[in-house]
């Protein structure tokens, strides 16, 4: 995996996507902090523990399968 840079505008969308994917995986039990920490680096969005934050993001992405899973975890 290439090194993502916060100051590289082209990397920002990928960083956002990865951070929400990590938060989703934590919420639904697909991963743990220990597993994430084994990576060189990992990202999480602000307020990542709030299912509503994840729900709003995946509604915007129109990923309704993930929305249903998030709702079922609330």
């Amino acid at each position: 995996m290439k090194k993502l840079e916060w100051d590289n505008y082209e990397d920002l969308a990928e960083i956002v996507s990865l951070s929400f994917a990590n938060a989703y995986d934590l919420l639904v039990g697909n991963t743990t902090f220990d597993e994430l920490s084994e990576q060189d680096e990992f990202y999480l969005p602000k307020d990542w523990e709030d299912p509503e934050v994840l729900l709003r993001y995946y509604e915007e992405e129109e990923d309704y399968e993930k929305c249903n899973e998030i709702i079922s975890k609330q």
Side-chain angles (χ1 to χ4, degrees):
M1 183 168 128
K2 80 172 192 158
K3 175 94 167 129
L4 299 174
E5 302 289 335
W6 282 101
D7 57 353
N8 182 351
Y9 180 76
E10 289 142 9
D11 289 346
L12 292 179
E14 189 171 352
I15 291 171
V16 168
S17 178
L18 287 171
S19 69
F20 278 96
N22 287 335
Y24 172 81
D25 285 341
L26 284 168
L27 176 74
V28 299
N30 291 342
T31 195
T32 65
F33 273 107
D34 288 337
E35 292 169 337
L36 287 176
S37 68
E38 291 173 2
Q39 302 173 23
D40 288 337
E41 59 185 16
F42 69 91
Y43 306 97
L44 290 170
K46 183 177 179 182
D47 298 331
W48 65 270
E49 292 177 298
D50 183 354
E52 289 298 318
V53 170
L54 296 176
L55 189 57
R56 285 192 304 271
Y57 174 78
Y58 284 111
E59 283 174 342
E60 272 298 309
E61 294 295 307
E62 297 181 3
D63 191 336
Y64 301 118
E65 270 185 47
K66 285 189 174 133
C67 290
N68 285 334
E69 189 69 25
I70 293 165
I71 290 168
S72 74
K73 295 294 181 182
Q74 292 184 1

